[in-house]
Every structure is written in structure tokens, then in C-alpha cells.
Amino acid sequence: MNKQLNFKNKMLLAALFMSGAVGVSGQTEFIKYGDFDSWIVRNIKESAIIGGQTKQLYEIGPNAVWNNNNPYVNQGGSPWGTSNVMAKVCGIVKTNTSTYREKRGNGYCARLETHIEKVKVLGVVSIEVLAAGSVFLGHVPEPITNTSNPMSKLSVGLPFTKRPKAICFDYKVKLSGKPDRIRETGFSKVTKVEGMDMPDVFCLLQKRWEDEDGNVYAKRIGTLVHRFNKNTDWVNNANFEIQYGDITRQSGFKSYMGLITGDATKYCQNSKGKMVPIKEVGWADADETPTHMILQFDSSYGGAYVGAVGTTLWVDNVRLVY
């Protein structure tokens, strides 16, 4: 018989939010650490065979500096994961940083940037991979031990039972200026992907359940998907509406707002601690109560290894609007 999910991180639900404040369109509630003023800086020493350099990885959580190669686990009740990861493949330690802490006013913001990550063995470039920056509600079980199916390395979404009207945040956008994107995996020829690269934000409210075999299913209750198609300076207190129910016949619907399938499939840890795909099987009624929320910001919208170098999204002060 199906059962409601009962993840170990359910305790994060109580700590997910900071105190509410009156915002530009009603009551708003900060997501914990969503002001991005507090970061953990990890100084990771990579393996000697690829240069042995010390690289910095930035994680959203209580202010701290780590000088070790310990796998990262979300700290201080932080609900945020990032695309910054430490990998250990065949004993070789390698990092990737595509999300950065950047100074803004008296505090900080998050800068998500699409770039080419290079791996050099004994001083010779052997692999080049396109990597986009992301911040999301969830975590990355470290260390990464292989390069197959990158989406399966991100455990996205957290327990959540509210029904916000919108997501509110500050943002800035810099597009690459290129008419098309590329797909660069490091293991095959670089190919062109038609269409301009754009950063995006998406928020999905789901009703999830898990069967006896550990498979996770979901119905979609609330949807927000927005792609940023022009350069901007800082835009403060921007509100992006969440639409409820089956939105396929609602105004403004686009195909990429539909149920997630194929290469875009998201993953989570099931009740057994195993990473499994979240199988969206339909639309829930508009008045149903969610069990989980997915919220993610990306510097490129095309998925793993797809984008245009230089596409950048800055994000700050993430809140829910009621």
C-alpha cells in the first residue's frame, strides 16, 4: 500500500523559515538563509595528479571556514544545496564551483555562472565540461563518485505544506550574447544546441508518496517556471506568481511548464536513503495541500552540460508571498 513520505530531513520543515515581514504584495516570509548573507567557505585540496591546487567551494549556511576534504552535509538547519561539489572518482579528488558568494551592499548575494570546467592530468587538458550554477532547496550527497546522470546527484525539494501566492526575490541577469548554446560533456564532441541560453527559476509544489519498493511518485499542485530573456541591472522585490492545479489550459502556459519527464526528471532520497527519480504522474486538484516544495535557481535552463559560457544570474533575498 502507498504511504506518505517520511524523510529524515522532515525536521527541516520547522526550521525552513525566518520571521515574516510585510512586503510589497502582502505578507512575506524569508526562507532560512535566503538573504544569502551567511556562507560556509570550503578550502578543498584536489589530487596531485590534476594539479593539487586548493579550490574554494561556497555553501549556504552559518558563517564558517572549512580547511578539509570532508564531505558536505547541510549545516545549521540550512535548507539550501548548491551545484558546488566535491567529487572523488577512482581516488581522485576534484571540485567544481559554479555558485559564488558575491558582495552586495553590506551583505552578500549568490552569483550563479555557466562556465567550462577543465580537468588537467599532469598539465595536459584532458576533459572540458560545461557546468551551470544552481542553488536549490535540498542537498547533494557527497562525495560524487561518477559523472553519469548528473541530475541524479541532486536531492531536490523539502517537506512543505503551505500554499504561497508567489516567490519574491531580488535578481540581476547577464546573458551570454550568443544566439545558441552548446552541449559539452567532456566525453563526446561539442555540439550546438539551438536557442539562446537563459537563466531560470522554478518552484513546484507536489503531493508525493512512496510505494513499498521505495519508488517516489508525485502529483503537481503548484507551478512557477520563469526564464530570464534579457539583461537587467538589479531588480528588487520581484514577484513571480505560483499557478495552482492543471495549468495546461491557463493563460501563459508553455510546454516547459508541464509535468517533468525524461532528461529533466528530478531526484530525491527515499525513506531508505536511496536516490530515486521523482515520477510526476499527473496534476492534482488546485485546492489540494502539498507535501513538498521544489525551488531552484539556475544560470542555464537546458539541463546537464547544456548552456552558453558567461550566462549569469545573481539572486538575493528569497521570500514566499502569502
Side-chain angles (χ1 to χ4, degrees):
M1 180 178 295
N2 293 338
K3 58 183 178 180
Q4 293 296 322
L5 292 178
N6 185 23
F7 298 142
K8 291 181 180 179
N9 65 4
K10 198 166 184 177
M11 294 301 294
L12 283 173
L13 182 60
L16 183 58
F17 304 105
M18 298 169 68
S19 58
V22 176
V24 293
S25 58
Q27 186 75 15
T28 68
E29 194 172 38
F30 264 94
I31 296 178
K32 191 171 186 179
Y33 295 108
D35 58 5
F36 299 130
D37 285 339
S38 180
W39 295 77
I40 299 167
V41 180
R42 304 169 63 195
N43 295 309
I44 305 290
K45 185 172 178 59
E46 296 184 331
S47 294
I49 194 172
I50 57 173
Q53 296 183 355
T54 297
K55 300 290 186 66
Q56 285 191 325
L57 271 61
Y58 302 94
E59 309 291 351
I60 302 161
N63 285 318
V65 176
W66 290 10
N67 296 309
N68 56 59
N69 285 15
N70 293 340
Y72 182 72
V73 178
N74 290 31
Q75 300 291 302
S78 174
W80 295 100
T82 77
S83 54
N84 298 340
V85 295
M86 178 184 69
K88 191 173 185 180
V89 181
C90 298
I92 299 174
V93 175
K94 176 74 178 74
T95 65
N96 171 65
T97 302
S98 48
T99 296
Y100 300 85
R101 178 187 69 175
E102 184 167 299
K103 192 71 177 175
R104 184 188 181 209
N106 294 324
Y108 294 97
C109 65
R111 186 180 92 239
L112 321 179
E113 186 172 339
T114 301
H115 70 114
I116 298 294
E117 182 69 24
K118 299 179 180 180
V119 180
K120 297 183 178 181
V121 179
L122 301 178
V124 178
V125 175
S126 57
I127 299 176
E128 295 187 2
V129 175
L130 186 134
S134 298
V135 296
F136 59 93
L137 293 181
H139 68 282
V140 180
E142 280 192 345
I144 302 300
T145 57
N146 62 71
T147 58
S148 64
N149 193 4
M151 300 303 294
S152 69
K153 310 300 190 292
L154 311 181
S155 181
V156 301
L158 289 177
F160 182 78
T161 57
K162 297 184 179 182
R163 293 171 52 85
K165 296 177 181 178
I167 305 295
C168 180
F169 54 92
D170 308 340
Y171 71 90
K172 184 171 73 169
V173 175
K174 186 188 78 171
L175 302 179
S176 70
K178 302 177 179 67
D180 294 302
R181 296 163 289 159
I182 62 170
R183 185 174 190 270
E184 187 165 3
T185 68
F187 298 99
S188 60
K189 182 180 179 180
V190 178
T191 57
K192 184 176 81 169
V193 179
E194 292 186 356
M196 179 179 71
D197 195 20
M198 292 176 280
D200 71 356
V201 56
F202 59 89
C203 178
L204 310 178
L205 300 176
Q206 297 177 323
K207 184 175 183 178
R208 293 185 191 175
W209 66 95
E210 180 179 335
D211 68 17
E212 293 179 354
D213 297 322
N215 298 304
V216 174
Y217 301 90
K219 284 191 175 183
R220 179 84 65 82
I221 297 174
T223 305
L224 156 64
V225 183
H226 181 82
R227 294 178 179 175
F228 299 90
N229 61 6
K230 63 181 180 180
N231 293 320
T232 69
D233 200 347
W234 277 103
V235 179
N236 297 325
N237 302 315
N239 283 268
F240 295 86
E241 181 186 0
I242 298 172
Q243 295 175 285
Y244 283 84
D246 183 349
I247 66 170
T248 56
R249 293 181 178 85
Q250 293 187 28
S251 173
F253 174 77
K254 296 179 175 59
S255 60
Y256 56 78
M257 301 175 179
L259 300 177
I260 295 175
T261 60
D263 292 341
T265 297
K266 305 300 179 185
Y267 284 71
C268 69
Q269 281 187 304
N270 65 12
S271 60
K272 308 177 195 317
K274 181 181 178 181
M275 293 290 288
V276 296
I278 305 166
K279 301 175 182 179
E280 281 198 319
V281 296
W283 300 91
D285 292 338
D287 60 354
E288 289 202 48
T289 300
T291 64
H292 288 75
M293 175 170 65
I294 294 174
L295 176 60
Q296 183 165 330
F297 299 86
D298 305 297
S299 61
S300 293
Y301 74 87
Y305 307 128
V306 176
V309 174
T311 307
T312 308
L313 174 67
W314 289 261
V315 182
D316 204 3
N317 296 323
V318 181
R319 292 150 283 166
L320 301 178
V321 181
Y322 294 95

